[in-house]
Amino acid sequence: MRVDRAGTDLPDVSGLANQQAGPTILRILVGAHLRRLREARGISREKAGYAIRGSHSKISRLELGRSSFKLRDIADLLSLYGIRDEAERSALLALAEQSNEPGWWDEFKDVTPEWFEPFLGLEQGAAVIRGYDVQFVPGLLQTEQYATSVIRLGHPDLPTAQVERRVTLRMRRQEILERHDPPRLWMIVDEGALRRQIGDPATMRGQLKHLTTMARRPRVTLQVMPFSAGHPLGGGPVTLLRFAEDELDDVVYLEQLAHAIYVTKAAELAPYWHFMNQLGVRALPPDDSVEMIERIMAEE
């Protein structure tokens, strides 16, 4: 949960280029800035929509960063909001134009459900990624062999080429962990996901070994929820994203079988923060978690 900064200064995106966050975060930042400008002038969405030959719902989509920007629309809105300074206008128009550039994940549209695309952009721009999974090792920590087995499990009739494309996408997502300043990754995995064999025994051994390696990275926290802790209320999987930019609210991502839910309202976010914090208390500490993974490996 975040509180917007007072005033209407342009969003600070100096760090986004280094993070290679892509267009999703930029669209949200530009949209939030437009909303603050409109509200500061006391202009309704209906009036703003009329100014760009659209409706109030179009303004809503623009302000939420859910659609691309037409530079003519942005210029007209800035005029309506009384922004005359050429430097300020040029800066925001440049950000809007940059936000229209496709993200690297656009080349995977053939294997990406429409409901999953926003998450890819949000994940790429997040400063903190927290997650809990019951059935599988989280995607950002999967090996290529494990990911292949998971995808084949969910799509047994998928052609090999399509499976390989999905695996490649999953591996590309993991590149955020190799950045100079990677996001803070905090994952809690149920013991069942570590003991449930996915693929052949060699695949599972490789996956468990990979987890012990990743768990020792300075910006990665990995905890195991043991069977002895009982059944955590709330279920899963849950992914919680937090961003470095104050203009961006937290996002909870809940993936379902054939769709996803994005939670962004402050009142609805609070229970998920509480849930994740409770899981962190009940799960094994990081060092004990690595020891458990090593014990499971030894049992094989």
Side-chain angles (χ1 to χ4, degrees):
M1 293 170 288
R2 298 294 181 87
V3 178
D4 283 342
R5 294 170 178 164
T8 57
D9 292 339
L10 279 173
D12 179 9
V13 295
S14 57
L16 291 181
N18 293 330
Q19 294 177 355
Q20 300 178 333
T24 305
I25 301 300
L26 284 178
R27 280 201 303 269
I28 296 173
L29 285 170
V30 171
H33 186 67
L34 290 172
R35 174 180 55 77
R36 288 194 299 276
L37 288 174
R38 177 181 60 78
E39 292 177 347
R41 272 67 178 184
I43 297 173
S44 68
R45 286 193 179 93
E46 287 76 12
K47 183 175 180 180
Y50 182 80
I52 61 170
R53 303 151 296 280
S55 63
H56 72 281
S57 60
K58 179 178 181 178
I59 295 297
S60 180
R61 290 194 301 274
L62 291 177
E63 292 181 350
L64 291 172
R66 293 178 179 171
S67 64
S68 59
F69 299 111
K70 293 182 179 179
L71 298 188
R72 175 187 173 185
D73 289 344
I74 303 302
D76 288 346
L77 288 174
L78 291 177
S79 296
L80 176 66
Y81 302 155
I83 306 301
R84 309 297 179 191
D85 182 79
E86 283 303 318
E88 183 175 356
R89 291 175 64 93
S90 296
L92 195 64
L93 285 167
L95 288 179
E97 185 173 22
Q98 187 179 347
S99 75
N100 287 335
E101 295 295 324
W104 61 258
W105 51 89
D106 275 29
E107 66 181 271
F108 293 94
K109 280 184 176 292
D110 59 315
V111 293
T112 305
E114 184 176 351
W115 47 264
F116 188 57
E117 289 182 25
F119 176 76
L120 291 172
L122 293 169
E123 182 182 65
Q124 292 293 303
V128 177
I129 303 173
R130 294 183 64 176
Y132 169 62
D133 208 322
V134 181
Q135 298 188 68
F136 303 108
V137 170
L140 290 178
L141 295 175
Q142 292 181 5
T143 64
E144 185 173 342
Q145 293 76 17
Y146 183 93
T148 300
S149 298
V150 169
I151 291 168
R152 287 195 180 281
L153 183 65
H155 306 275
D157 299 324
L158 205 62
T160 299
Q162 292 289 295
V163 172
E164 292 174 350
R165 291 275 291 160
R166 290 172 182 247
V167 172
T168 300
L169 170 61
R170 193 160 300 181
M171 297 301 104
R172 284 286 301 274
R173 288 170 53 200
Q174 296 180 6
E175 291 180 7
I176 60 174
L177 303 178
E178 307 303 327
R179 292 175 182 166
H180 174 68
D181 185 21
R184 181 77 170 82
L185 184 68
W186 183 356
M187 291 292 174
I188 300 175
V189 185
D190 193 83
E191 181 180 346
L194 305 178
R195 293 188 177 278
R196 183 177 298 109
Q197 182 166 307
I198 302 295
D200 58 24
T203 294
M204 282 305 300
R205 283 196 300 271
Q207 178 61 73
L208 294 175
K209 178 64 176 176
H210 181 66
L211 286 177
T212 63
T213 300
M214 295 300 295
R216 293 185 172 95
R217 289 196 175 192
R219 294 186 64 81
V220 174
T221 299
L222 177 63
Q223 292 183 263
V224 175
M225 178 65 69
F227 292 148
S228 60
H231 191 284
L233 297 176
V238 178
T239 302
L240 200 156
L241 305 171
R242 169 157 283 185
F243 307 91
E245 297 73 32
D246 288 344
E247 295 88 349
L248 298 182
D249 294 328
D250 299 338
V251 176
V252 166
Y253 173 76
L254 306 171
E255 186 168 314
Q256 311 295 312
L257 186 61
H259 70 283
I261 299 172
Y262 293 82
V263 182
T264 58
K265 295 181 180 179
E268 297 175 358
L269 284 167
Y272 290 99
W273 271 109
H274 178 71
F275 174 63
M276 293 301 295
N277 290 336
Q278 289 297 109
L279 288 178
V281 171
R282 296 177 59 185
L284 295 175
D287 288 345
D288 293 347
S289 295
V290 171
E291 290 181 4
M292 170 171 272
I293 296 172
E294 290 174 340
R295 287 198 302 271
I296 295 174
M297 291 171 61
E299 295 170 5
E300 296 294 330

